[in-house]
Amino acid sequence: MTIIRRQSLVAYGAPLCETVVDCPEPKGTEVLVRMERCGVCHSDLHMQDGYFTLSDDKRLDVTNGRTLPFTLGHEIAGRIERVGPDVSDAELGRAVAVYPWIGCGDCAACQQGEENICAAPRHLGIMADGGFATHVLVPHGRYLLDYAPLPAALAGAYMCSGLTAYAALKRLDERTHRGPVLLVGLGGVGMMGLALARAMFPHTPIAADIDPTKREAAVRLGVTTYDPADPAARKAVLSATGGVYGICDFVGSDRSLAFATSVLAKGGKVVVTGLLGGAFTTPVAMFPMKAMTIEGTLTGTLAQAKELLALARAGKIPPIPIQERPLAEAQAAFDDVRAGRVVGRVVLTA
Ligand SMILES: [Zn+2]
Ligand SMILES: [Zn+2]
């Protein structure tokens, strides 16, 4: 019998540790994927801590519903190694990216294809054992997506940061035809958003970040940028655009959302994907007065993951920098991400 080597969470707040278990035999529609690449995401660090910081004195506990040891990792690409009796053997060896946001299949959200916001999720690497392992068990082949000719590491990364940016941009709908969208925050998701917005929309996006290095990276791509900490930034955005119809807040703090709403046009929308923390207040009358929409989104649907991969496979999205490290160095990779020593994505290899 094959074994699975994993880099697992054995206690919250403690370093990852190698665990070894017998490899399960896939049943029914299940598919066993041999991991080739699995990206390290910022949310993996929060899962290791066991909480997200909501504001200075508030934490969201995320330790419920998971038995330890548990294996994180949701940016997975690999090859089909074994299949359950209800799956054709012809699939063996196929190179696939794994859509990790798998739902219960029964709730109202799942019925509409929104498994990413399922009420009883089985999200891989979050609620079910994920990809920081030699193998990962996937409940059904429909979650496995072809990615050739993309590199495996990039295909995995598209399943989280790429998908989050794509789903957020899609929610701006026809507003993207009225003028440039504004992207607030140029971290991993924001830079992916920038590349996508340029590929998807008729107007070149504009961007805001408090970090001059990140602004320079966007300027080199021909994007006009603003420093939201500059008191003159709000007026500058308004005079350049007349008010922005579509904004993505990839930061998710009180300050980023305050800046975003301050430059909205009437009828404009802000989509929040960031989780930095803080509390946002606004006069309630601003909702009708500005016909304003503020909404949140969490990763994206399977259908959106397929759309995004189609764009990427057609060469429409410039790749992000990838640094690869062996699976056994998972904790060192986490440390690098935590210390901000990573440009682009760190991806573990099996
Ligand atoms: Zn992620
Ligand atoms: Zn569900």
Side-chain angles (χ1 to χ4, degrees):
M1 170 164 272
T2 327
I3 55 162
I4 305 187
R5 282 183 192 284
R6 318 178 297 180
Q7 286 291 322
S8 301
L9 192 58
V10 291
Y12 291 100
L16 300 180
C17 216
E18 186 177 85
T19 59
V20 179
V21 290
D22 286 336
C23 193
E25 198 54 48
K27 297 187 277 291
T29 61
E30 288 176 349
V31 177
L32 184 74
V33 174
R34 180 162 50 77
M35 189 277 270
E36 290 188 337
R37 298 289 184 279
C38 186
V40 179
C41 173
H42 256 276
S43 66
D44 291 320
L45 305 179
H46 296 298
M47 301 290 288
Q48 182 177 41
D49 295 338
Y51 63 85
F52 279 82
T53 304
L54 295 178
S55 59
D56 289 342
D57 55 351
K58 285 207 188 86
R59 286 173 168 188
L60 175 69
D61 181 280
V62 290
T63 61
N64 273 342
R66 204 174 298 112
T67 38
L68 302 183
F70 181 84
T71 307
L72 299 167
H74 54 263
E75 300 191 347
I76 312 161
R79 280 182 190 275
I80 296 178
E81 184 160 294
R82 252 182 275 163
V83 295
D86 300 343
V87 187
S88 157
D89 283 353
E91 294 279 281
L92 297 180
R94 189 179 140 214
V96 289
V98 182
Y99 174 80
W101 313 115
I102 298 170
C104 68
D106 293 326
C107 73
C110 284
Q111 293 290 316
Q112 294 298 316
E114 295 191 315
E115 297 187 57
N116 54 313
I117 53 168
C118 171
R122 299 180 289 166
H123 295 170
L124 293 179
I126 309 288
M127 299 310 291
D129 279 322
F132 297 144
T134 52
H135 298 78
V136 59
L137 194 62
V138 181
H140 197 284
R142 67 197 199 90
Y143 302 113
L144 304 176
L145 312 177
D146 294 320
Y147 62 79
L150 302 171
L154 197 56
Y158 283 141
M159 294 298 106
C160 180
S161 54
L163 182 56
T164 297
Y166 180 74
L169 289 168
K170 289 271 284 191
R171 293 187 95 89
L172 299 175
D173 52 55
E174 91 292 340
R175 292 175 181 84
T176 58
H177 295 276
R178 298 187 197 173
V181 300
L182 169 64
L183 309 179
V184 181
L186 294 172
V189 180
M191 285 305 284
M192 195 77 93
L194 196 64
L196 287 167
R198 286 156 61 90
M200 293 161 65
F201 302 144
H203 304 274
T204 304
I206 58 176
D209 198 294
I210 51 173
D211 181 344
T213 349
K214 290 181 176 154
R215 289 200 301 274
E216 278 158 29
V219 167
R220 281 197 295 276
L221 298 170
V223 169
T224 304
T225 64
Y226 301 88
D227 175 3
D230 176 354
R234 177 177 170 268
K235 271 200 172 146
V237 174
L238 288 175
S239 69
T241 61
V244 184
Y245 286 96
I247 302 178
C248 288
D249 179 359
F250 296 121
V251 179
S253 74
D254 42 350
R255 278 189 278 182
S256 63
L257 188 52
F259 179 73
T261 52
S262 78
V263 296
L264 266 187
K266 273 189 190 170
K269 182 195 261 196
V270 184
V271 178
V272 182
T273 71
L275 295 161
L276 190 67
F280 171 77
T281 56
T282 185
V284 177
M286 292 310 281
F287 284 96
M289 301 275 280
K290 284 184 93 168
M292 171 171 76
T293 306
I294 302 177
E295 64 182 34
T297 178
L298 186 67
T299 70
T301 65
L302 178 59
Q304 288 169 336
K306 289 178 182 170
E307 291 168 17
L308 170 62
L309 274 185
L311 270 178
R313 296 172 79 189
K316 300 258 169 66
I317 316 171
I320 53 165
I322 302 269
Q323 261 174 268
E324 297 191 339
R325 296 186 77 145
L327 178 61
E329 293 175 18
Q331 184 55 48
F334 271 44
D335 293 341
D336 282 352
V337 175
R338 213 178 267 279
R341 285 193 288 264
V342 178
V343 179
R345 218 58 174 167
V346 183
V347 174
L348 300 177
T349 67

